Amino acid sequence: MRYVIIGAGAVGGAVGGRLAEAGHEVVLVARGAHHEALRAGGLRLMTPEGVRTHRLPVADGPAALGALRADDVLVLAVKTQDCEAALAAWGPAPVEGGGTAAERLPLVCAQNGVESQRLALRRFRRVYGVCVWLPATFVEPGAVSAAGTPLTGILHLGRYPHGTDETAHRIAADLEKSRFEAPVVPDVTRWQYAKLLGNLANAIEAVSGPLTGEGGLELFGRVRTEGESVLAAAGIAYASEEEQRLACGDRIRLQPFDGSPRRGGSSWQSLHRATGTIEADHLNGEIALLGRLHGVPTPLNDLLQRLANTFARERRAPGSMPVAELVRLAAEAVAPSDGERPPPRQSDRSERVYG
């Protein structure tokens, strides 16, 4: 199978580079300065083992490839806010022998959150979801780093909305030859929703910096509890923290190395690169959406969604709001308005802090 990596940034570049190292055929798809750098100098993949340059075919869209091959696997690794445009471009792309990519080819969604695969299933017949545990960073045009060791990442993989098939197992086998662990699971959304709860911290990190102090950690605990309450009301199952610990164990350890400091996660990186967009609508916004559908207030996730979008739109520097100010805004967000009755006391479980 040939892997067409649509969005060869941090995650896509790390996956594509590792697949190429293992001998698999890979095409990288990128735009702008990153596309030009990949074409001119190849992909520089920086890992704890060193820096390798992979000179791979590069495209800026489906037209550059002509007809896709019948054995192509499309790996969608753009940020969720960019998915709709990518799906619209790649869905109608012709495939050798007839038909379109949407009709014939498998599409693997490798993003945070759960929305991209929903969008994909409107167009593509064969959609696969991935729960992405992969510490990667876009360093500069043409260069990405992946600081995980001994494995580069863990990628739970399954057919969406549920089930497994031969294609999923073939993709997983290729990934596992490429320094990933790729469990094939029939319920990939259980793992994605579990990761979503952790990713609710992305907006806190983007706005106020790493969660190292008591104030930020306590706030995240309340944000996560709000998310858990929403998932419970919606009847959505997710993998437990114990399951996640067993799945990851010590298989991925962050090992910083010269030339590639990992300063923040995906949302932090979006602000650092001043892209003008951020994924908060599909992380904290997913909790807000489910809360509105099921009658559960989500003031903390509403606040973080709004702040993250404001920072992205106004191109503010990541981490530029003091944690104390964010905590103050959070207290205002949950305070009852004049004339409102105080909210009912939550159960002991919902008051626990989840780090």
Side-chain angles (χ1 to χ4, degrees):
M1 297 186 293
R2 181 176 71 166
Y3 290 89
V4 180
I5 310 295
I6 303 170
V11 169
V15 171
R18 285 302 202 189
L19 284 168
E21 287 175 12
H24 301 292
E25 199 172 354
V26 174
V27 176
L28 302 178
V29 180
R31 299 177 297 177
H34 190 42
H35 171 260
E36 295 306 317
L38 292 172
R39 285 186 60 191
L43 170 69
R44 285 189 295 123
L45 178 60
M46 310 165 72
T47 70
E49 302 90 58
V51 181
R52 275 90 58 216
T53 298
H54 301 287
R55 296 189 176 275
L56 303 169
V58 180
D60 59 359
L65 295 179
L68 294 167
R69 293 178 3 190
D71 66 345
D72 280 341
V73 175
L74 305 182
V75 179
L76 187 64
V78 299
K79 294 288 180 65
T80 304
Q81 61 268 28
D82 298 320
C83 278
E84 189 58 50
L87 293 167
W90 287 88
V95 179
E96 292 174 350
T100 66
E103 293 167 332
R104 295 187 54 195
L105 299 183
L107 179 79
V108 179
C109 296
Q111 295 103 345
N112 286 332
V114 296
E115 183 64 20
S116 64
Q117 54 215 20
R118 291 177 185 153
L119 296 172
L121 203 60
R122 296 177 186 274
R123 300 175 186 269
F124 282 77
R125 295 180 181 176
R126 300 166 61 195
V127 175
Y128 299 80
V130 179
C131 179
V132 181
W133 302 91
L134 201 176
T137 302
F138 181 93
V139 179
E140 63 183 11
V144 301
S145 71
T149 188
L151 292 175
T152 299
I154 298 178
L155 307 172
H156 286 74
L157 170 70
R159 188 80 183 253
Y160 181 79
H162 49 73
T164 65
D165 60 16
E166 180 184 354
T167 298
H169 284 280
R170 291 179 64 195
I171 295 169
D174 287 349
L175 290 169
E176 292 193 342
K177 294 173 185 174
S178 309
R179 298 185 73 101
F180 295 99
E181 188 166 300
V184 177
V185 293
D187 51 356
V188 68
T189 55
R190 283 187 69 249
W191 294 91
Q192 291 172 320
Y193 273 109
K195 180 144 191 293
L196 173 67
L197 289 172
N199 285 145
L200 298 179
N202 285 25
I204 301 176
E205 179 187 59
V207 169
S208 294
L211 284 95
T212 55
E214 182 178 345
L217 289 170
E218 191 275 336
L219 175 59
F220 170 54
R222 292 191 289 133
V223 170
R224 181 184 172 110
T225 294
E226 196 175 84
E228 290 178 321
S229 298
V230 165
L231 295 187
I236 294 174
Y238 55 92
S240 68
E241 292 184 66
E242 180 62 23
E243 284 180 277
Q244 294 174 76
R245 278 193 292 270
L246 291 174
C248 294
D250 60 354
R251 298 174 182 86
I252 305 178
R253 299 190 307 275
L254 284 180
Q255 183 173 313
F257 48 92
D258 291 342
S260 182
R262 179 171 167 78
R263 291 167 289 184
S266 54
S267 297
W268 189 97
Q269 292 180 49
S270 291
L271 294 184
H272 179 66
R273 294 173 62 194
T275 61
T277 66
I278 199 166
E279 61 195 335
D281 284 347
H282 306 291
L283 300 178
N284 306 93
E286 176 71 16
I287 297 302
L289 169 64
L290 291 171
R292 290 163 195 157
L293 289 173
H294 297 279
V296 179
T298 59
L300 295 176
N301 281 280
D302 293 348
L303 171 68
L304 291 174
Q305 180 185 4
R306 176 174 59 80
L307 287 175
N309 279 312
T310 299
F311 268 57
R313 184 174 59 254
E314 297 180 357
R315 289 174 168 77
R316 298 188 196 177
S320 56
M321 175 179 284
V323 172
E325 174 64 8
L326 180 58
V327 170
R328 184 189 68 77
L329 292 174
E332 290 181 355
V334 300
S337 302
D338 289 343
E340 287 186 359
R341 297 177 61 187
R345 179 176 175 82
Q346 296 178 318
S347 67
D348 289 341
R349 180 179 183 277
S350 66
E351 290 178 340
R352 279 183 285 168
V353 173
Y354 291 81

